[in-house]
Amino acid sequence: MVVMYQWRKFEFFEEKYGAKCAIPEGDDDVVDRKIECCSSGRGKVVTGFEDGVVCFFDRGFKFNYAFQPHSSSVLFLQQLKQRNFLVTIGEDEQLTPHQSALCLKVFDLDKMQPEGSSTTSPDCVGILRIFTNQFPEAKITSFLVLEEVPPILLIAIGLDNGSIYCIKGDIARERITRFKLQVENNHSDKTLSAITGLGFRVDGQSLQLFAVTPSSVSLFSLHDQPPKGQTLDQIGCGVNSVAMSDRSELIIGRPEAVYFYEVDGRGPCWAFEGEKKLLGWFRGYLLCVIADQRTGKHTFNIYDLKNRLIAHSALVKEVSHMLYEWGNIILIMNDKSALCIGEKDMESKLDMLFKKNLYTVAINLVQTQQADAAATAEVLRKYGDHLYSKQDYDEAMAQYIHTIGHLEPSYVIQKFLDAQRIYNLTNYLEKLHEKGLASKDHTTLLLNCYTKLKDVEKLNLFIKSDDSIGELKFDVETAIRVCRAANYHEHAMYVAKKAGRHEWYLKILLEDLGRYEEALDYISSLESSQAGMTIKEYGKILIEHKPEETIEILIRLCTEDGDKRGLSNGVYMSMLPSPVDFLSIFIHHPQSLMDFLEKYTNKVKDSPAQVEIHNTLLELYISNELNFPSMSQVNGGGNYLNGVSAKTMISSTQSNGNIADHNSSEQEKDRLKRREKGLHLLKSAWPPETEHPLYDVDLAIILCEMNAFKDGLLYLYEKMKLYKEVVACYMQAHDHEGLIACCKKLGDSVKGGDPSLWADLLKYFGELGEDCSKEVKEVLTYIERDDILPPIIVLQTLSRNPCLTLSVIKDYIARKLERESKMIEEDRQAIEKYQEDTLTMRKEIQDLRTNARIFQLSKCTACTFTLDLPAVHFMCMHSFHLRCLGDNEKECPECAPEYRSVLEMKRNLEQNSKDQDRFFQQVKSSKDGFSVIAEYFGKGIISKINTGSTSGPRSGTASSTSGF
């Protein structure tokens, strides 16, 4: 039992207006009659008078209309909510002595029937006799209607003998069922058995009925057939002291207290003393009209049971009925006056409480009345401000914490920035992070608070809680940055690792702690893509301190033997990181870069980036000093090496004037060793079967020239068939033996060499300015063998060297003169033979033109049978039977092939005469260009251009179209 002596009183309700529940003046015969019953609903208040008249009132108790449903009196009525129906119980004229005058009527208020010129009444859709032979007559003490699924109604009528008559169905269609419920009666006094109150409880499909007598409280389960009843309590109450709460609880009022009942029995009990004249429930408030036995005055109280306060209290006249309509409480007095009481708005109630500094009451009020969260937060803020002004900082912070999510955090933080209040501020920031509403600045501030307090335990709890990062309750990067600044490196590493921020984790390990081995182990545990990104960013530091271990990780990263899933090796390698991507980390450590690329090339033979890798290795191998070449980055990805960068190589170390001999010799050995590797790479990366090498040839040539790498240059020039450049290298070095050996190798035309190299070599010796007789004789031997230069050119070339004597070329000249004399004799004999043949042909042609030809053959040339007529004779002295020749045969079958071949050769020669490029190519490539021109003239390919008369119509060129 809850005693209410200490409950505060407030005026949360106010009287709206008063009115008179009466028929307008003019009907004097009904003005003084008593109100028997009342109801409300659908925006109207309905009153039933003792003479059977029912009146309807609109808002403000403005009279609407009246009609008389019963001829004698109206005892009970109820306005339905779902349909605009009115159900009444009243007395009509008694038709027979055996029938009761009481009847139940249902009116459809939407259908009005005119009864005369001045009054109207609603249509009565159903009339029902309450008492029958099965249901004997008794005094009705209570009445209640439940609207089920329209048009079904469930009507409960309580009697003074403890019985309850129930009528269920569609009364308008007279489709009803009746049943009776009986309250257990253990008393002989009939007045203790009357049904003083009824209440329906609907819970899903379950339907129950509370029944109250002066001596008991019972509950009937109507979904059971037949309905079952049980007694909940052995105390009851009188008429008008029964109500139902909005949670379907039964409320009864007794002089000592107010009791609440659930389906399982008595619930809370509130000790409000005084006789309860009327009891009600409105919007969560308990309404009581209590009579003071000492003074006889009536007090109307409104109780807020949740907040344990009296929301309104006022002295009133004797109240006969209590209704709820238009959002107000309506009290109807015995003198038919009415009083409307309405609830004040939330803002007015809160202002009233704030003025009295009753903030806890205000908070409870907004929470119980389900105000929006913003309104609740505003009340909490004002309460917090009030406590803060009283320097109750702890309690004030407790209120501010409840405003998180609605109140701007900066409002609270600004108040508690003082160092004395750092504990409260820390608490607020912790709650802000728990709800996921903290910004980066809030995280920074909270961590600074922890570090200033040196509260490592709370810092651990904040940083290392199981769900702190999973739910992102703070900004990870901010937390890491603050912890680093405060030298809480382990906490920063924990956050970075759990959040997967590998770059921060490694930054702390390498830059702050210098734990390089641990950083390498961590990188090894990452996925390939993540490991590659981290090495690109921190590889320079790792290479500087742990080069071998870093190289091992890079090799594993670029060559790891994962699941190829049926891919070819080349395709799979293209999916792995390329070593070129990591070249930038070796910018100050060329030796480590060389080691890395050598290990990679030994392990991977068909890398997609092998050209770039070989270019880099060549720069490292060929450089005079192993200082990193100034190689420019390509595409920002560490892809170095182009020709321009190689031209601008700069040595990063300079001699200081005193270098130990030992060191010099070691450096020289290293340089020679690297150059051996470089030459090997130049050769191995240019397989004989491929046209182009697996490196940039232009870059390789530039590197060799800049670093005076003769062996590499010679190899490249030879592979590129730049034989003159090869010879130029030997000339530049004055290596005569090498020159001659080179020309022997590269100047042999049989092996695809260039014989003109001997001419260049002869020119070199001719301009040398020193005695080189031995070498010149050897060169002249090969020039003579291949007939590379005419003797006159040889004489002119060697004449420029004053150190050479005629004896050097005497034998060469003698041999050449002897050979040419022999050739002249052979040519003279050939000319005489051709002249004789020509003379013979001319005589034969003249004979054919001037003399008759006698054919004496007796046999056919084709079939060798005796020649008979008809026969065909050709000028070539061949004869044939006509039948042995084909149709339209006009040429000798024996001589025609030879003749056609001559014609075909002539046509080809004429066609070739138009191919000027071929003519000049032959002239250029021939040892004796004049002989080529003479041959063209001799074959008649190049002929005179005959110019005709310019005055005649046939002017122009005659026979030649060669264009020469």
Side-chain angles (χ1 to χ4, degrees), residues 39-111:
S39 183
S40 63
R42 301 179 72 90
K44 287 182 172 55
V45 171
V46 187
T47 59
F49 292 89
E50 60 183 353
D51 62 350
V53 176
V54 172
C55 293
F56 289 85
F57 297 91
D58 290 331
R59 182 183 289 271
F61 276 94
K62 295 179 181 179
F63 176 77
N64 191 339
Y65 69 92
F67 78 101
Q68 188 164 358
H70 299 276
S71 58
S72 298
S73 64
V74 180
L75 301 179
F76 299 93
L77 59 80
Q78 183 172 337
Q79 168 75 51
L80 303 186
K81 301 294 192 298
Q82 296 183 22
R83 292 181 294 170
N84 196 13
F85 280 15
L86 178 68
V87 182
T88 65
I89 293 179
E91 293 184 7
D92 287 302
E93 294 180 358
Q94 191 171 3
L95 299 177
T96 62
H98 300 288
Q99 286 186 339
S100 172
L102 291 175
C103 66
L104 183 145
K105 294 184 179 181
V106 179
F107 296 91
D108 187 348
L109 302 181
D110 292 331
K111 297 179 181 179

Side-chain angles (χ1 to χ4, degrees), residues 183-333:
V183 175
E184 294 182 6
N185 186 7
N186 297 325
H187 301 277
S188 59
D189 188 355
K190 186 177 181 181
T191 59
L192 299 177
S193 301
I195 303 298
T196 56
L198 296 170
F200 284 109
R201 175 188 174 92
V202 180
D203 186 8
Q205 298 296 324
S206 175
L207 177 60
Q208 295 166 315
L209 175 64
F210 287 103
V212 182
T213 68
S215 59
S216 67
V217 176
S218 301
L219 178 67
F220 295 91
S221 297
L222 301 184
H223 58 275
D224 294 331
Q225 293 297 330
K228 295 180 181 179
Q230 59 175 329
T231 301
L232 299 180
D233 205 349
Q234 295 298 329
I235 61 172
C237 66
V239 180
N240 295 331
S241 297
V242 179
M244 293 293 293
S245 74
D246 50 12
R247 296 189 300 274
S248 297
E249 297 170 305
L250 178 69
I251 309 170
I252 66 170
R254 293 178 58 83
E256 72 279 5
V258 175
Y259 299 90
F260 283 73
Y261 289 88
E262 295 276 358
V263 293
D264 53 353
R266 185 192 296 179
C269 175
W270 304 86
F272 305 146
E273 292 186 351
E275 183 182 357
K276 313 303 185 293
K277 292 292 185 178
L278 282 170
L279 202 65
W281 188 267
F282 176 74
R283 294 180 178 177
Y285 293 101
L286 175 66
L287 314 180
C288 289
V289 177
I290 301 176
D292 191 336
Q293 296 178 352
R294 292 174 295 176
T295 62
K297 295 181 180 181
H298 290 194
T299 305
F300 175 60
N301 289 337
I302 301 177
Y303 299 100
D304 184 348
L305 302 181
K306 290 183 179 179
N307 295 316
R308 300 184 179 231
L309 56 86
I310 299 175
H312 181 73
S313 181
L315 292 174
V316 294
K317 302 175 185 178
E318 290 189 15
V319 181
S320 60
H321 299 89
M322 185 186 303
L323 302 174
Y324 322 107
E325 192 63 33
W326 311 312
N328 297 325
I329 303 167
I330 302 171
L331 301 179
I332 299 178
M333 314 301 178

Side-chain angles (χ1 to χ4, degrees), residues 577-584 596-597 609 612-613 616 637-640:
S578 171
V580 178
D581 299 336
F582 304 102
L583 294 185
S584 60
F596 166 55
L597 294 180
E612 291 84 353
I613 295 171
T616 307
N639 183 9
Y640 294 84

Side-chain angles (χ1 to χ4, degrees), residues 18-23 57 60-61 335-338:
K20 197 75 174 178
C21 296
I23 299 174
F57 297 91
F61 276 94
D335 61 0
K336 292 185 284 187
S337 64

Side-chain angles (χ1 to χ4, degrees), residues 349-359 362 379 382:
K349 291 189 284 187
L350 292 177
D351 287 342
M352 184 188 310
L353 295 172
F354 292 154
K355 290 178 182 178
K356 298 179 180 180
N357 292 331
L358 298 175
Y359 292 97
V379 175
K382 290 185 177 182

